[in-house]
Amino acid sequence: MAGETALNWVGKHRDYLSEVSDTIWDYAEVGFQEFKSSKLLADELEKAGFTVERAVAGLPTAFVATWGSGSPRLGFLAEYDALPGLSQKVTTHREPVKEGAPGHGCGHNIFGAGVMGAVIALKEEMKEDKLPGTIVFYGCPAEELLAGKVFMARAGLFDDLDCALTWHPMGFNMVSLGSMTAMNSVKFTFHGIPAHAAASPEQGRSALDAVELMDIGANYLREHVVQEARIHYVITNGGGEPNVVPPEAQVWYYVRAPKRKDVDAIFERLVKIADGAAMMTDTTYDMKFSTACYDVLPNKALATLLNDSMKKNRSAYMERR
Ligand SMILES: [Zn+2]
């Protein structure tokens, strides 16, 4: 039966895969800091016969592990970053290992270990059945920040793939044709002129005023965007003390929508609002992109194939447990 060798391998290595997952859970490293987590996965893949290229795309914790040759070239996307403040023991109630320390929220420890198991199992299957093709495992950092793959795509690491597969841990396994929103994450920093706010306010130009006016403009914009769009912000710098007209202030925006074109259109208007805020307050501003990404582009042919395969192999796998 197709897939039998792979299923056998997974069945025999359940404890090993859980151990890798638990270790990454304990490491609990936040985005771009996943030094131990990425090293563990890269080392294990190397031991399993994969060729590993570390620190790709200029990111110290991104890596690519390949096995096989020729086509098809199949990509598998793995993630392993944790979130700030979610430190947690393995219990059913909230109990941090260390108060305030990072922890895994949605299971990227399982995410990384699961994809690692999948590619090694597939390698065993391809070897056994002499199947042609190349497996490419992508160690993608900082996915809680939606950031890692953006750099990797810019470096052209996905260019020659025939397809890319990924998953996310949940309470159950399923094949999804769902998407996720496209997003821009951008910081707007306004620059004004400092002055004593009581003695000589006429000489000051408040960067904070600009931030506030921009936020008001953005809040009016909400009514005139697609229903599913989301615009959120935090003020990351609002000045120092009330008696100094703030010469610098910053607001950090996320703009999300189901389609990239909607994010682009809304963002263009948000920039006009920033222009307006600067004009009203006689300030200037610059903007810095933290990240931007497309909505997930699902593939129906692949999803159908996966679904059929899951249905076919489910009973076979359950027998092996
Ligand atoms: Zn997640």
Side-chain angles (χ1 to χ4, degrees), residues 2 25 58 139 246 260 281:
W25 169 275
R260 182 73 232 167
T281 52

Side-chain angles (χ1 to χ4, degrees), residues 52-307:
V52 176
E53 199 190 334
R54 296 169 199 252
V56 293
L59 304 173
T61 57
F63 69 97
V64 176
T66 45
W67 181 89
S69 61
S71 65
R73 205 172 158 85
L74 310 170
F76 294 83
L77 313 176
E79 305 176 8
Y80 32 74
D81 58 328
L83 286 156
L86 290 189
S87 172
Q88 176 64 30
K89 288 185 185 167
V90 184
T91 59
T92 54
H93 57 278
R94 171 116 180 82
E95 195 183 347
V97 179
K98 192 177 160 212
E99 194 65 57
H104 280 280
C106 54
H108 288 193
N109 56 311
I110 311 171
F111 198 151
V115 180
M116 185 199 78
V119 298
I120 300 175
L122 176 61
K123 182 208 90 177
E124 295 299 321
E125 178 82 33
M126 287 168 69
K127 227 167 58 177
E128 176 77 19
D129 300 348
K130 300 188 173 46
L131 297 171
T134 309
I135 306 170
V136 193
F137 175 107
Y138 292 89
C140 307
E143 284 308 329
E144 298 287 10
L145 304 165
L146 299 178
K149 290 187 203 76
V150 176
F151 291 90
M152 295 165 81
R154 187 173 66 180
L157 297 179
F158 304 112
D159 286 357
D160 47 4
L161 283 186
D162 288 296
C163 74
L165 293 169
T166 192
W167 77 300
H168 195 288
M170 275 203 276
F172 51 88
N173 287 323
M174 66 167 189
V175 176
S176 168
L177 267 178
S179 185
M180 284 163 94
T181 54
M183 185 179 90
N184 281 4
S185 164
V186 184
K187 287 174 178 161
F188 294 81
T189 307
F190 287 86
H191 310 281
I193 301 170
H196 194 288
S200 51
E202 75 286 355
Q203 292 180 30
R205 298 291 179 269
S206 170
L208 178 61
D209 287 356
V211 162
E212 288 185 280
L213 287 165
M214 178 177 178
D215 293 346
I216 288 168
N219 288 330
Y220 276 93
L221 174 66
R222 287 180 201 286
E223 194 187 343
H224 308 287
V225 295
V226 292
Q227 185 86 344
E228 303 80 4
R230 299 286 182 270
I231 305 170
H232 6 255
Y233 59 80
V234 288
I235 297 175
T236 44
N237 175 10
E241 285 183 33
N243 65 346
V244 178
V245 174
E248 194 164 298
Q250 188 186 64
V251 58
W252 183 6
Y253 269 85
Y254 281 10
V255 176
R256 308 180 198 240
K259 296 285 172 219
R260 182 73 232 167
K261 67 173 177 50
D262 293 322
V263 171
D264 287 344
I266 295 165
F267 190 73
E268 208 181 300
R269 292 165 73 194
L270 189 66
V271 170
K272 282 186 190 164
I273 289 170
D275 290 345
M279 196 188 289
M280 281 188 278
T281 52
D282 197 16
T283 58
T284 60
Y285 77 96
D286 55 64
M287 55 181 178
K288 191 166 178 234
F289 270 76
S290 293
T291 188
C293 63
Y294 257 77
D295 38 309
V296 173
L297 306 173
N299 179 315
K300 195 168 181 192
L302 264 182
T304 308
L305 191 70
L306 271 178
N307 199 43

